[in-house]
Amino acid sequence: MPETAAEEAREGRVPFQLIEVEGPSMVPTLYPGDWLLVQHGARVRAGDVIILRHPFQQDLLVVKRIAERREGGWWVLGDNAAAGGDSTVYGVVPDELVLARVRGRLRRRRPWAEGEGQRSVGAVLSWAFSAVRPVRSVRSARSVRSSASRRLRAR
């Protein structure tokens, strides 16, 4: 019997799952507190944002963007190069550690400032309009590599 929801999904019983983002590695695409709609068993390719098991800590789930296919698996990068924790640290990620593809995100609602009172209808509608979005893939591995190299030069 599977021990986690991720294992149940991988076996085909749960095709979609909600996962909360923790940590800054995918800022500005994803922020801590965002919720992700992920699809287990979906085909992945360069440019997709995925959920994977950390190669050195199998109980830790990680969200990264696939940069390219390499011998032995996928090279993955975070959108926030300063946060680290991607293939530059742990190398190529084998296919069996890729669990799901991110399909969308629900941006968390920022807490009200003290003394602000209730939010206006316009502010709530603005949040609602921008909160639910698909997570776009970068369809060209070349684009992922060039944006990563720009970030590395800027460090």
Side-chain angles (χ1 to χ4, degrees):
M1 177 158 255
E3 295 177 14
T4 67
E7 288 174 351
E8 287 179 3
R10 206 160 146 184
E11 291 179 7
R13 287 187 265 171
V14 181
F16 290 94
Q17 183 180 14
L18 287 174
I19 296 178
E20 184 177 8
V21 175
E22 295 179 7
S25 71
M26 289 298 291
V27 171
T29 306
L30 305 171
Y31 288 89
D34 286 354
W35 284 89
L36 305 178
L37 176 64
V38 301
Q39 181 183 11
H40 293 272
R43 290 184 84 180
V44 297
R45 56 185 170 192
D48 289 345
V49 178
I50 60 167
I51 302 296
L52 60 115
R53 285 196 186 281
H54 191 285
F56 302 141
Q57 294 176 277
Q58 296 288 307
D59 60 335
L60 179 65
L61 297 182
V62 181
V63 59
K64 298 293 176 202
R65 186 178 303 276
I66 296 176
E68 64 186 11
R69 182 79 184 171
R70 292 194 178 176
E71 186 177 328
W74 297 101
W75 190 260
V76 297
L77 298 172
D79 286 358
N80 178 1
D86 53 24
S87 285
T88 59
V89 173
Y90 46 73
V92 173
V93 175
D95 289 323
E96 59 269 13
L97 296 183
V98 176
L99 301 178
R101 180 175 172 193
V102 175
R103 292 297 189 172
R105 65 112 174 113
L106 175 63
R107 179 105 340 133
R108 68 181 170 88
R109 192 162 170 210
R110 299 196 191 281
W112 294 349
E114 284 194 34
E116 183 182 327
Q118 293 187 354
R119 291 220 168 172
S120 69
V121 172
V124 172
L125 289 175
S126 176
W127 169 81
F129 179 73
S130 68
V132 178
R133 293 278 188 211
V135 174
R136 302 265 183 231
S137 296
V138 177
R139 287 293 166 221
S140 165
R142 184 174 168 195
S143 297
V144 174
R145 282 193 302 265
S146 65
S147 67
S149 65
R150 265 184 276 154
R151 288 192 312 248
L152 292 174
R153 282 196 299 266
R155 281 180 105 185

